[in-house]
Amino acid sequence: MTAEPGAIVDLSTLDVAAAAIAEAVEPGRPQWVVGQRGSGRSELLERLALHRRTICVRTVAPEHADAAMHAVVQAAAGITDAEQRRRAAESSEPRAAARAVAECLADDDVTLAVRLHASWSHTERPFDAANSDGAGDDDRARSLRHVRDVLQAWTSHPRLRLVLITDRNADPAALGVDHGSDHRLQPLAVVDGVLTEPAHWGTLADAAALVSTIPITAPLDAQTLRASVAASALGIGKARLTQILACNSSSQRWWQLATALRERIAHHSRLGSVLRSLLSLRVPLPIERLDEFVSDDADLEHLLVHGLGYGVTELRIAAPIRRELSATLGAPSADEHARLTDFCQQLDGAPQHWKTSAAAWWLEKHHHALLAGELRVDVWERAADDFPGPAWHWLRGRQLSRAGHHERAASVYARAVERFPNDSYSWHYLGFNLAHAGLRRAEAQSAYQRAIELEPDNPWWNSRLVTFLVAQGRFAEAQRAWSEALERLDPDGDRCCQDPWLADHVHRWVAQAWHDAGESERASAVLAQLPADIIAASSRLRRLQHDIADALEAEQLGESVYPWDVPMDQRWKAPRTITEDDASHVVQWAPGRVVDVDEAVRVVYALASEPAEPKRIALRELSQQEWRELSGGQPPKANTYFELLRFSDGSVRIAIVPSTPHDLDPRASAIARAYLQRWHSPQPSH
Amino acid sequence: MELPSALARDRVHVFVAGPGIGEGCAIALPNGEWILIDGCETRPESGVERPLRMLVERFGKNHSSVSHLILTHPHADHVYGFIDLIEELSPDYIGVTGPDPQKNLARELGLDPPSEATSALTRRRRVKTALARIQAWSEQHPGHLCSLCSGVSLQLRDAGTLEVVTRAPDAAVLSTWWSDGTLPRMIRDDTNALSIVLELRWGATRLLFGGDLPSDGQTGWRRVHQADPRIARPHVFKLPHHGSRGALYEPVLGRPGDEAAWIVTPFSPSQLPRADVDDGLDRLLALQSPVHLTAMSMSKRLQAAIDRDEVEADQLVAIRDALLQKGFFNDEREHVLAGTGVGGLDPIWHVEIDEAGTICSRHHGRASLAVYRAQR
């Protein structure tokens, strides 16, 4: 068994597989090729191109908003006729663009071979991606939906010859892919004695030789072997490597290797800097161009090519290492992205840009130009009217919007809707950014409404129009818009009872907007449209429900007498800040708050001696001396919460409600500790 | 004394509503226009009621058009219901504090508060939303948002000799606050100093609507009086800041003289107005008796239980004590607030006045009463 130059595995099996797949691929019957890490999926992609007229596409993760169009543009590069190529990819909807490209490729009898990013082919629901807190969730969910649209457009095309290369966890049935046959790639066997063959390792030869002395019970794949050699070269001792490689679990072994590498790389600033740039490239770097990153540093070059990376002509870095190191090294700076932009420009085939096979580099250039922000904004501007879809406008608009440049972001989206008038996303964010810039609100409203016209069942578009109106205090219009939104999204009122996601992304947004406007009753009315079990299933809905209930109570009383984060079901039952013994002697109690303090201490407290009795607020001024006597010497402070207690012997005491767990009296009873449970569960923002 | 069933067209009618928290004024002019000042809500069992809207609807036969809706200053108790008034009554103009036509409080939305009690946070949110609503309204009605400061008159339709002029805040002082960065601090710490004061002049008649303007400070009553001493001793006076002592500037109150209608709204959380010796109500009564109180400074539920038209000042405390439920300390320093129940037209005084300054009639709702100087 021999290896090609630069390889430590026998790649000849891939030639056989590529030939078989090329032979088997038929129009309308996608070939589904599955392989685990180390099975040569990327090499297979290159080999497929040798057998038929094939256009190869490498997809990127849906975290990148251009993921769908990124794939479509690469595929379009396989269309022979330049005008057809341009027209095919020119659609605001990735599904339509993908279908048009597939049509042209089928006409040209070109095979489309797609190396799917893992998250393209797993069965995560697009909207599940939006289940965490924070901005941008909707963007990721939308991107995931778009990549699914592209995949669906290609797999369902009746005449397209399609090969999909994916990992072993992908499930074609779950994705609705009716495929011809499966090809399962086996892990590529490592060439015997390769560790002791200095020609394979360059300056890492000594490290490789050391690894060769480690007793290994089960055969290791090539990537593990390379990572071990890199770890050794970076100073990880034999004992630790032995321990790592003795792990039976492959994932555990990888995690330990990546951790070890991460620790060592933290001490190599040059290596860290180069790696940070390389890891941010979404396209494998041609090894022949590596010198531009390592500048004649042979040790560094060999560490990257023979140890941390793999690949024959292109430098690839295994996913676990990529993941671990990316998290450690952080994102490149704007300067680094600017340098990467310049680098990509050398490879992007300009001025032919995406019309050539260098499409991926052209896309990459603009990706980094965007991340370089103002440093390379000219690159984005020059190409803005040339992008074959609106995704790049989205990226630029989002970048500006997140940086608070709403007016400039609105200009970008305005430009997008001029070119792509049916792009609901750009209409929506045109409205959003105009609204946030406080500009041309009538235009913002029209933009929101246009987005809804184009995509009437989009939950976000519908709820944002309502929240836009609520934030301006346009209550009557907001109520109308809300009714219309429900009519479009959930006309029978049953969807929100079955779909927690819809409740979380429509009702919650709208209720939150009413709450933020100080309209707790209207906020409460929105949540009242949801069944209790739907609210109970969402931590965010539960939090909002609590916030609203707290605000309603404060409004009804006229004052707050409980800290906002005390759960509603713990209020009004009994004094909670004293020992159980003391509590048994309490004959009257009232929760309260210090309103302000100057010469006097002004307090409010709620009277609720009987549960059925309406609660009443009382005001009283105490002298500083009275306060200190009643509170046991505590200094008075505004917005301190307390419990006013009268005991059976007639004495009155003020017990301070601890504002943090550190304030808790160590002698506090179990009851008092229970009162503090509010700190042990996620609480609403205030 | 109940509110009239119709309004005579040749008179000016002043309605002042004040249930205990919040106040609003409605002025019906002889030409059929309404000028509304601030929002106001009550919360009887049936839900939220808005006195000013109810007045406009009730008397809409002869007076149907709201020409101006004015927010005197951005405090929650003056903002309650304001948004609904905009939407339900479609005013021709909205007026807010501002030193010139391009600057006004609706553009100053930087009211995000620090962490505080939910009750205060909700109040601030409502103020912020009301200002946002005014701003949005102004975009839909270009040129119809009025920046009001001293010297600015409201644009009325065919009002003849009648005019409504802004007397405070002082235009020059406001301009300075806007330009030197003082404004955000004023909004945060001294909002009452931004209060709009309106004077209605019609022949011999003088009406004054005092907002919550304090006596002193750069924009206060002292300055207003210095600018034009003729504002003193108006025939109808919505007294500033719930008759608190700090808002009473005696040169403006003037000496006892012709018949006048002075109207005070209560603010229960601060127990205003106070009838103690030398406090606000006591001082007012020394100059004008009776003073018209839109409601007693107590629980709205208890206000509704009061079944009398007039009372002497020293009886106020006794009435309150008799009506109050027991609290925690059960002494005179404890002030119990809770309760609801006043209907929208209960805490209201109505005064009808002609062009000669003659008060033709006065009416009041169930919760309102006339407070007379005690016969000591």
Side-chain angles (χ1 to χ4, degrees), chain A residues 473 550 605 616-617 620 646, chain B residues 118 133 328 331 334 337-338:
Chain A
D550 176 55
Y605 44 90
R616 293 165 294 136
I617 284 286
R620 191 184 165 91
R646 187 189 306 283
Chain B
T118 301
R133 180 65 182 101
F328 192 90
D331 60 17
E334 185 171 53
L337 297 181

Side-chain angles (χ1 to χ4, degrees), chain A residues 441 471-476 515-519 521-522 550 555 558 560 564 588 593 605 607 615-621 626 641 646 686, chain B residues 43 83-84 87 116-119 121-123 125-126 129 132-133 135-136 139-140 268-269 325-329 331 333-338:
Chain A
R441 270 188 257 259
Q472 294 171 74
R474 295 163 65 182
F475 293 169
H515 179 57
D516 291 344
E519 295 290 324
E521 284 176 15
R522 286 169 158 127
D550 176 55
E555 269 197 90
S560 293
W564 64 272
Q588 189 182 9
R593 185 180 111 248
Y605 44 90
L607 302 161
K615 299 172 186 85
R616 293 165 294 136
I617 284 286
L619 306 173
R620 191 184 165 91
E621 278 189 2
E626 283 175 316
Y641 290 84
R646 187 189 306 283
H686 195 51
Chain B
R43 290 175 182 263
I83 289 176
D84 299 284
E87 302 201 328
E116 58 190 344
T118 301
S119 48
L121 183 65
T122 304
R123 287 195 284 268
R125 284 173 163 167
R126 291 188 114 180
T129 307
R133 180 65 182 101
Q135 190 180 33
E139 288 169 11
Q140 294 167 320
S268 298
Q325 296 175 52
K326 293 300 180 188
F328 192 90
F329 290 97
D331 60 17
R333 291 164 60 201
E334 185 171 53
H335 185 72
V336 179
L337 297 181

Side-chain angles (χ1 to χ4, degrees), chain A residues 580-656:
Chain A
E580 287 169 42
D581 276 352
D582 283 349
S584 66
H585 299 293
V586 169
V587 293
Q588 189 182 9
W589 66 279
R593 185 180 111 248
V594 177
V595 178
D596 57 40
V597 180
D598 42 39
E599 297 87 28
V601 183
R602 270 171 291 281
V603 298
V604 295
Y605 44 90
L607 302 161
S609 46
E610 299 296 330
E613 207 174 280
K615 299 172 186 85
R616 293 165 294 136
I617 284 286
L619 306 173
R620 191 184 165 91
E621 278 189 2
L622 298 168
S623 68
Q624 295 251 1
Q625 178 64 23
E626 283 175 316
W627 170 269
R628 284 177 194 278
E629 282 173 11
L630 292 173
S631 67
Q634 298 284 340
K637 209 169 118 191
N639 284 328
T640 297
Y641 290 84
F642 59 81
E643 286 175 339
L644 196 51
L645 307 160
R646 187 189 306 283
F647 293 90
S648 49
D649 63 1
S651 62
V652 172
R653 196 204 302 173
I654 285 175
I656 306 292

Side-chain angles (χ1 to χ4, degrees), chain B residues 16-18 292-296 303 306 308-310 345-350 363-370:
Chain B
V16 178
H292 301 314
L293 189 59
T294 56
M296 283 187 67
Q303 289 166 13
I306 295 172
R308 51 201 304 176
D309 295 327
E310 54 188 56
L345 296 180
D346 291 338
I348 285 182
W349 268 98
H350 164 244
H363 303 87
H364 67 87
R366 283 195 306 146
S368 307
L369 68 172

